[in-house]
Amino acid sequence: MNDKMLDIIGLADEEFLLEAQSAKKAKRRFSAGFIAAAAAAAVMTVTAGAAIGSLMHRASVEYYHNEIMTSQIEEGGYVLGQVTENEHLRLTLEYLLVDENYAYGVVTAEYLDGAGKEAFENKSLMMLDEDGRNLQSRAQGGEIIRAIFGRGIIGNGTPDRQAYLMELDLRDPFMAKRTQLPDNLKIIFVEDEKLPLGTDAVLKESDLPGGGVLEGLSFEISLKPNTESVYLTSDSGHRAYISEFMYDIQYSDLGGTFADNWTFPDTLTLNYKDGTKKTLKYSHTSPRTSDMRHEGGHYDDLENCDVHGTFNSLIDLEGLESVEYAGETYRGNAADAAQ
């Protein structure tokens, strides 16, 4: 890395970034330290709702997504409605989208008392494999990255309920070698002061002390992708990773867009084999009405930049031949697809 490297935070609308960590995306220099969330060793009961159907708290999802995306989540069978609770808090994992590199969902937190609300605002998150081992211990070498848990008050503004956007960064999209991950993941919440070791340390669930306001709160999820994704490459060697709900694109800033204005290029064109073209647009001032939303990225020099973000509706990848971004055209690569 050189002196020009900038980690970009807060590129999306401030409405989505009440906690700065909900948008930070550092260039593939992955930290084993995890950013925010909450709860401890599982003792209480975790219940699961139907795999398809209506969202339990639609307002939570609509806070982060537009009406189109919210409906697609329901109609596509991505609703989980998984609930975990104790006497202080009730947490609902509303839905989960998973591709090869990310898991993305919204959690509704209902505060059952003041202690629950206070504890949940001072939290850390641990991701455990099927044997109870903390996956943070595998972060060295850039394999497992981090979890991002950004908080935003739900549209109805009730003080006892909030919506949290959860993004689990599972792999570096641009790594040549794909990391083997467990099929299932357990997410547990721990009060910061309850952690016996730093969040970068190697520990198991059994190492955690019992008790605490967040005790028993956990989710169990599948890491098997439930959406499609493609890898594309430009003539310059830059790569684009496009899934139905997320994108990571390497590009050159030869026009000085970022260097001059601290903004990423705002259009992405999808080209299909049948001749159809679809141009997606991003608006910094109106992210909810945009086709996509930049969440962050990295600027190293004019030749080496990347952008990371989400789409505001699920993208159809069937028949996708190429994409255009920042003056570059990215086409399919069979070797990438096989990784």
Side-chain angles (χ1 to χ4, degrees), residues 61-62 64-71 288-290 312-313:
V61 179
E62 287 183 340
Y64 291 104
H65 303 299
N66 59 24
E67 172 63 28
I68 294 174
M69 182 72 159
T70 303
S71 295
R288 276 195 175 92
T289 59
S290 297
N312 274 343
S313 63

Side-chain angles (χ1 to χ4, degrees), residues 267-284:
T267 60
L268 173 67
T269 300
L270 309 177
N271 301 312
Y272 293 88
K273 294 178 181 178
D274 64 1
T276 302
K277 283 181 173 285
K278 184 176 182 180
T279 298
L280 308 178
K281 297 182 180 181
Y282 167 74
S283 170
H284 180 77

Side-chain angles (χ1 to χ4, degrees), residues 17 30 35 47 51 60 74 81 90 99 107 113 120 135 179 184 239 283 286 300 314 329 336:
L17 304 176
F30 303 121
I35 303 177
T47 60
S60 296
E74 290 184 319
R90 180 183 301 114
D99 60 25
V107 173
D113 60 24
F120 203 67
L135 292 181
T179 305
N184 301 304
R239 303 174 71 191
S283 170
S286 302
D300 193 354
L314 294 179
T329 300
D336 289 338

